[in-house]
Amino acid sequence: MLTAPTATTPLAYDVERLRQDFPILRQTVYGKPLVYFDSAATTQKPTAVLQTLQDYYTGYNSNVHRGVHHLSQVATEAYEEARRIIARYINAAQSHEVIFTKGTTDSINLVANVVGRKLVRKGDSVVISAIEHHSNIVPWQIMCEEREASLRVIPVSDKGELDMDAYEKLLDDSVKIVACTYVSNTLGTVNPVQDIIRLAHAKGIPVLLDGAQAIQHMAVDVQALDVDFLAFSGHKLYGPTGIGVLYGKSEWLDKLPPYQGGGDMIKTVTFAKTTYNELPYKFEAGTPDISGGIGLGAAVKYVESIGVANIGAWEHELMQYGLEKLGEVEGIRFIGQAKNRAGAISFLVKDIHPYDLGELLDKQGIAVRTGHHCTEPIMDFFKIPGTVRASFGLYNTKAEIDTLVAGVKRAAAMLS
Amino acid sequence: MTINEIQDELISDFSFFDEWMDKYEHIISLGKNLPLIDPQYKTPENLIKGCQSQVWLHTDVVDGRLVFTADSDAVITKGLVSLMVAVLSNHTPKEILDADLYFIDKIGLSTHLSPTRSNGLLSMLKQMKLYALAYQNKAGSAS
């Protein structure tokens, strides 16, 4: 029996103590203390994760699921324990509903591929939103083109919020799946995913959530949401790169065909017929990213030790402080002003090119992201070449925001 | 001035700055003085498209020498473009083709620029050399 992670009230969120867990943050860049505001691209890794990777490679590196020897059994147990930890973190009903993938993109491609083959016929459609990352656009485009289906897009307001009335109207009998991001990586918008799921389910349509920018900021309970599929990446959740998760309800995963063929996903193979392995192995062809999976398990345990609700509360405080302080910068324009937001602040200053601003921030030791953040359609919507994005992690401080604001002011003065 | 004399002068100008922010200040001010491209030449054909910013480059031939004008939507890029224009403009195709642009290293641009920027700088150099080559071939076949 799995239980949901419980949030405790943050009596005192000791960010300075938590920063000690991240050795990479102790460095200087161009002689300035590193200020890392690019956690939406990837988060830094705590010692607990680094040590787990080291222990794996020095202590029990071995292939999983097949070996009878000791190391293989230790590795298999650690890998499957990681699956159970992740299942508990997202409150999956069963741990075999957690499929290890390469990341969010891989997870979405998996669903697009198998749902396409099983459910989508000529004339059908798929619904996504206007604020999706390319990873949640292109796989559906490819699938729709192959199946002669069409892609429908939920429109967005100037504030960066989805038009839910328009969404409801899109949901007719032709819609076979809704794929929507939980939190926008560019605008920080937190979408009303409960409503998105409820409205789709009322018509019997399954929903995939792209949780890449949600899973590290808030408690995501797949059973409470009643979501059919959830995709996320390990490296944005303080874990290693190259590992990700696809959660799927077993009723869906059982009836969908396998994605890739190979080792581990089969039960028996003859040249006449192959029978597929049970979940989750049916969707995990080949040798998996063993160290990545185990490392991600360690990352989730680390996050649970702080409490994701506590992390979210702290980041919310940073967000409010950041919006207030950055708001003092002359000529600043926030891109995306949703009421409900998490993780990132996107902005432009006067008519300064985001690339110029980003480069001068870098020279002051401040890492931000510039550009279209792989969300070109939404940049076109706002008619801008890109934004400067400051995104938060559990280790960021208010003093760092002050440094960012001073850096933006200095850069803007130079560039105006 | 020869290409190398211009490069040496640039290197000496930049040697006055210890801090990278000051070097950027200088690059930005150079960008503001860049001979601007005639708007009619801001066409897709003249666009060197990078990942993050755009550069337009136009080439005229005056008395057998190539004259470059350029513009960019990003100010720092414009400054970098102006360095390239300052060094290579008003020289013969042969001089441009033979040029060894050591100033990029000496100023520290190759190590301090973000990779996308230095790639942009290199594609710009490549484009300028291509113009020189095209013009040299044309002049060669005409004579």
Side-chain angles (χ1 to χ4, degrees):
Chain A
M1 185 64 199
L2 295 156
T3 51
T6 48
T8 53
T9 316
L11 287 172
Y13 186 92
D14 193 349
V15 68
E16 291 304 333
R17 186 184 62 76
L18 291 172
R19 286 177 70 81
Q20 301 304 312
D21 296 335
F22 294 84
I24 202 169
L25 298 177
R26 288 175 212 149
Q27 67 187 296
T28 55
V29 171
Y30 307 112
K32 313 277 188 329
L34 168 67
V35 174
Y36 187 76
F37 277 132
D38 197 19
S39 292
T42 197
T43 52
Q44 299 303 344
K45 318 306 172 199
T47 309
V49 170
L50 303 174
Q51 190 59 51
T52 299
L53 295 175
Q54 166 108 345
D55 290 348
Y56 168 75
Y57 281 116
T58 53
Y60 57 99
N61 171 45
S62 183
N63 212 329
V64 289
H65 300 149
R66 306 170 186 77
V68 294
H69 58 80
H70 174 73
L71 290 190
S72 177
Q73 286 173 29
V74 176
T76 301
E77 180 43 40
Y79 189 65
E80 293 306 324
E81 172 63 11
R83 196 191 304 276
R84 288 190 288 272
I85 291 167
I86 294 159
R88 183 183 66 206
Y89 181 63
I90 60 173
N91 194 29
Q94 299 155 98
S95 66
H96 65 237
E97 293 177 321
V98 169
I99 312 290
F100 281 121
T101 64
K102 288 189 287 183
T104 306
T105 303
D106 192 33
S107 298
I108 295 171
N109 273 280
L110 192 166
V111 177
N113 206 289
V114 298
V115 164
R117 269 188 281 150
K118 182 81 178 175
L119 300 178
V120 179
R121 301 283 171 269
K122 190 175 175 177
D124 284 345
S125 56
V126 171
V127 169
I128 62 168
S129 89
I131 56 174
E132 297 308 315
H133 189 260
H134 293 167
S135 304
N136 203 25
I137 302 173
V138 184
W140 302 109
Q141 270 176 336
I142 293 172
M143 186 269 272
C144 284
E145 203 164 304
E146 277 173 12
R147 314 298 300 180
E148 296 181 65
S150 59
L151 198 62
R152 296 182 176 180
V153 182
I154 313 167
V156 66
S157 73
D158 289 343
K159 287 192 163 169
E161 292 173 326
L162 296 186
D163 179 342
M164 291 298 284
D165 291 335
Y167 167 63
E168 204 170 347
K169 291 195 184 86
L170 290 177
L171 297 174
D172 62 22
D173 291 345
S174 76
V175 179
K176 290 297 174 278
I177 188 164
V178 172
C180 185
T181 192
Y182 200 141
V183 176
S184 156
N185 72 317
T186 308
L187 311 175
T189 308
V190 180
N191 285 322
V193 295
Q194 290 88 346
D195 295 337
I196 288 171
I197 294 164
R198 181 177 52 79
L199 290 167
H201 282 182
K203 306 246 168 149
I205 304 164
V207 176
L208 172 139
L209 282 185
D210 173 350
Q213 302 293 345
I215 198 76
Q216 65 284 56
H217 300 306
M218 58 187 76
V220 178
D221 180 330
V222 290
Q223 291 192 78
L225 286 170
D226 194 27
V227 71
D228 304 277
F229 303 99
L230 173 77
F232 62 91
S233 296
H235 72 100
K236 294 187 201 286
L237 180 58
Y238 308 98
T241 56
I243 185 80
V245 166
L246 171 68
Y247 158 83
K249 281 183 186 167
S250 45
E251 59 188 89
W252 276 112
L253 296 177
D254 277 332
K255 72 176 159 204
L256 291 169
Y259 175 40
Q260 292 172 329
D264 224 15
M265 54 75 72
I266 47 88
K267 199 169 259 169
T268 61
V269 177
T270 68
F271 286 114
K273 171 88 182 155
T274 294
T275 55
Y276 305 121
N277 205 340
E278 61 202 13
L279 291 175
Y281 312 111
K282 179 171 128 184
F283 291 107
E284 293 182 352
T287 295
D289 181 357
I290 305 166
S291 66
I294 295 170
L296 178 54
V300 168
K301 269 168 77 176
Y302 176 76
V303 166
E304 283 182 332
S305 74
I306 306 165
V308 71
N310 296 336
I311 294 169
W314 173 247
E315 288 169 343
H316 184 72
E317 215 174 305
L318 286 176
M319 170 79 80
Q320 297 310 97
Y321 187 76
L323 287 170
E324 186 192 318
K325 289 288 165 179
L326 279 168
E328 293 167 4
V329 176
E330 198 198 327
I332 197 160
R333 184 154 64 102
F334 294 109
I335 309 300
Q337 299 186 54
K339 210 169 76 192
N340 201 358
R341 53 190 294 166
I345 299 177
S346 250
F347 60 91
L348 290 170
V349 181
K350 297 178 200 163
D351 57 354
I352 295 170
H353 199 286
Y355 196 10
D356 287 329
L357 203 51
E359 184 132 358
L360 292 187
L361 288 175
D362 171 55
K363 291 297 173 289
Q364 300 173 77
I366 305 163
V368 293
R369 183 73 192 278
T370 63
H372 53 58
H373 317 296
C374 294
T375 55
E376 277 189 64
I378 196 66
M379 296 296 121
D380 294 342
F381 174 78
F382 286 116
K383 297 188 177 62
I384 50 176
T387 73
V388 179
R389 180 187 70 186
S391 57
F392 308 117
L394 67 89
Y395 33 64
N396 288 121
T397 67
K398 290 185 182 172
E400 287 181 310
I401 288 177
D402 293 337
T403 306
L404 170 70
V405 173
V408 170
K409 283 181 180 166
R410 185 173 178 198
M414 282 171 69
L415 292 161
S416 303
Chain B
M1 278 206 286
T2 66
I3 287 177
N4 284 0
E5 281 165 355
I6 302 170
Q7 294 196 80
D8 293 339
E9 201 172 276
L10 279 175
I11 294 164
S12 145
D13 286 350
F14 272 88
S15 70
F16 291 113
F17 309 112
D18 297 328
E19 275 263 326
W20 259 96
M21 288 300 270
D22 298 331
K23 290 190 187 185
Y24 272 97
E25 198 117 49
H26 188 54
I27 291 171
I28 291 163
S29 70
L30 290 174
K32 288 177 179 164
N33 298 326
L34 177 69
L36 280 186
I37 192 169
D38 190 320
Q40 64 166 316
Y41 297 126
K42 266 186 157 179
T43 58
E45 301 83 70
N46 282 339
L47 185 67
I48 305 172
K49 202 171 190 293
C51 174
Q52 302 225 28
S53 62
Q54 313 190 83
V55 173
W56 293 267
L57 175 70
H58 175 69
T59 316
D60 278 320
V61 184
V62 180
D63 299 336
R65 290 162 185 270
L66 298 190
V67 176
F68 297 109
T69 51
D71 197 5
S72 171
D73 58 345
V75 179
I76 294 173
T77 310
K78 213 161 144 176
L80 295 170
V81 165
S82 84
L83 293 176
M84 302 297 284
V85 169
V87 171
L88 291 182
S89 202
N90 280 309
H91 294 284
T92 65
K94 185 173 184 331
E95 286 166 345
I96 293 168
L97 284 169
D98 292 345
D100 164 27
L101 295 191
Y102 53 83
F103 83 99
I104 298 176
D105 257 346
K106 283 273 170 64
I107 293 175
L109 292 177
S110 39
T111 46
H112 277 87
L113 284 185
S114 64
T116 46
R117 282 239 203 246
S118 38
N119 285 344
L121 209 58
L122 290 179
S123 31
M124 168 134 191
L125 172 62
K126 199 170 141 195
Q127 195 58 44
M128 291 167 120
K129 289 211 171 197
L130 276 174
Y131 276 125
L133 187 65
Y135 185 72
Q136 193 181 46
N137 288 344
K138 205 170 122 193
S141 62
S143 62

